[in-house]
Amino acid sequence: MSQMVTQGLLKQEQIDFYRQNGFVQVNDVLTSEELAELREYMDEVMGADQGMSLQTDQHGGAYYRVLNQRVNTWRDHAGMARYTTHSRFAEMARLLTGASGIRLFHDHALLKMPGDSKPTPWHQDSTYWPMNEDGALSIWIALDDVDENNGCMMFVPESRRAGKLNPISLSDPQDLFQYAEGTGHDQSQSVICRMKAGSATFHDGLTFHFAHANVTDKPRRALAIIFMPDGTTYSGKSHAVTNGQPLEKDQPIRGGLFPLLARGV
Ligand code: SIN
Ligand code: NI
């Protein structure tokens, strides 16, 4: 691992913290100019009514009350693409995981809307992903200051050691902690990550996480980007991002829609 790169992007303590706990908070991953630019791009892409990205639900729907989500904004907007594919974030993911290379799985704009907002229930992301191996992770970049009033994130340290439990429906949730009974990981251990806009958390796909409902009068904007270690193979599980793509079961997920964004030296 290159010490120079590590020093520039992440402290060794942050890498150690992620490897122990399965999440880490990294402040100020965007400059104030970048934050302003990314907010503008995200507002543009969320306001567009067509494109190649996927809008998960419409206003009034049960999922929309949890998240107003658009998947793969980078395919519609060159400005979003610049951030989603930025080597800075992928390189951080590479340093955290120790992977030899990092590919993009997908980005998603995650807005928690004001008015009848619901929390994002406790869940593990990797239960939804069509990947055979563990190790994929998300960066979640706050575009607004976040706390428990508008949907900041919470994590259970070391919970990825519980392994992959059952998927949770985000709009009609089961109780993840019932599935986790006997694993030694429970809600009382959770850690809250209040952050300034322009800061981020990284979390492993197996880490238990949650976000509060938004009880303010403004949307809570976040850009999440899912990265996977190069070589991660396709499980064949149905997923909106991989269905219809020319991927072979048990072969590496690769190609222009899943670009290699960071590579070790
Ligand atoms: C959220 O943005 O509310 C949740 C993000 C996640 O589940 O990763
Ligand atoms: Ni999640």
Side-chain angles (χ1 to χ4, degrees):
M1 188 181 302
S2 154
Q3 197 58 28
M4 254 170 64
V5 173
T6 310
Q7 278 171 0
L9 292 176
L10 289 170
K11 299 193 184 79
Q12 188 60 47
E13 299 94 85
Q14 291 174 311
I15 296 171
D16 295 343
F17 187 93
Y18 179 84
R19 292 188 183 178
Q20 175 71 26
N21 295 296
F23 75 98
V24 68
Q25 181 170 332
V26 184
N27 291 334
D28 302 322
V29 299
L30 298 175
T31 65
S32 54
E33 291 77 19
E34 288 172 332
L35 173 62
E37 186 177 56
L38 185 51
R39 280 175 169 164
E40 188 183 321
Y41 294 162
M42 184 174 283
D43 291 348
E44 282 171 5
V45 87
M46 291 308 283
D49 53 14
Q50 22 184 311
M52 285 177 285
S53 59
L54 301 166
Q55 182 81 32
T56 307
D57 197 7
Q58 297 306 315
H59 185 258
Y63 195 101
Y64 189 95
R65 285 197 278 279
V66 181
L67 286 169
N68 173 12
Q69 172 179 235
R70 204 150 173 144
V71 177
N72 274 332
T73 68
W74 72 285
R75 295 192 195 165
D76 290 337
H77 192 297
M80 292 303 297
R82 202 149 55 73
Y83 285 92
T84 292
T85 65
H86 203 298
S87 60
R88 183 192 313 161
F89 308 129
E91 180 61 11
M92 286 182 187
R94 196 183 70 78
L95 294 168
L96 291 171
T97 56
S100 59
I102 286 288
R103 283 185 185 271
L104 175 64
F105 182 47
H106 69 77
D107 74 13
H108 44 165
L110 295 170
L111 273 65
K112 214 174 243 304
M113 306 305 279
D116 198 20
S117 167
K118 297 273 183 282
T120 310
W122 286 102
H123 66 281
Q124 295 174 295
D125 294 334
S126 68
T127 56
Y128 313 115
W129 294 339
M131 301 171 194
N132 288 317
E133 298 80 8
D134 299 330
L137 70 165
S138 299
I139 182 174
W140 188 95
I141 307 172
L143 301 194
D144 293 290
D145 294 355
V146 287
D147 63 20
E148 48 275 68
N149 292 313
N150 68 344
C152 71
M153 297 272 268
M154 293 183 76
F155 302 96
V156 176
E158 302 190 31
S159 51
R160 65 175 155 177
R161 297 180 209 273
K164 205 182 280 190
L165 305 175
N166 292 336
I168 301 294
S169 159
L170 294 192
S171 53
D172 184 16
Q174 304 79 9
D175 179 4
L176 177 65
F177 292 104
Q178 258 182 18
Y179 298 142
E181 245 171 55
T183 63
H185 304 286
D186 65 59
Q187 197 168 347
S188 68
Q189 301 155 349
S190 59
V191 171
I192 187 160
C193 290
R194 301 179 187 92
M195 298 191 292
K196 287 285 183 205
S199 294
T201 50
F202 285 83
H203 65 274
D204 181 273
L206 287 168
T207 296
F208 301 0
H209 59 288
F210 167 93
H212 297 77
N214 181 1
V215 296
T216 70
D217 57 4
K218 293 188 196 66
R220 180 228 68 189
R221 295 166 295 182
L223 172 65
I225 311 167
I226 301 167
F227 298 116
M228 54 192 169
D230 187 28
T232 298
T233 61
Y234 178 52
S235 70
K237 184 186 171 81
S238 176
H239 188 282
V241 168
T242 43
N243 290 351
Q245 296 302 324
L247 296 168
E248 264 183 71
K249 190 169 179 312
D250 301 327
Q251 293 303 309
I253 303 175
R254 54 189 310 171
L257 297 181
F258 308 101
L260 187 63
L261 301 178
R263 193 194 320 246
V265 282

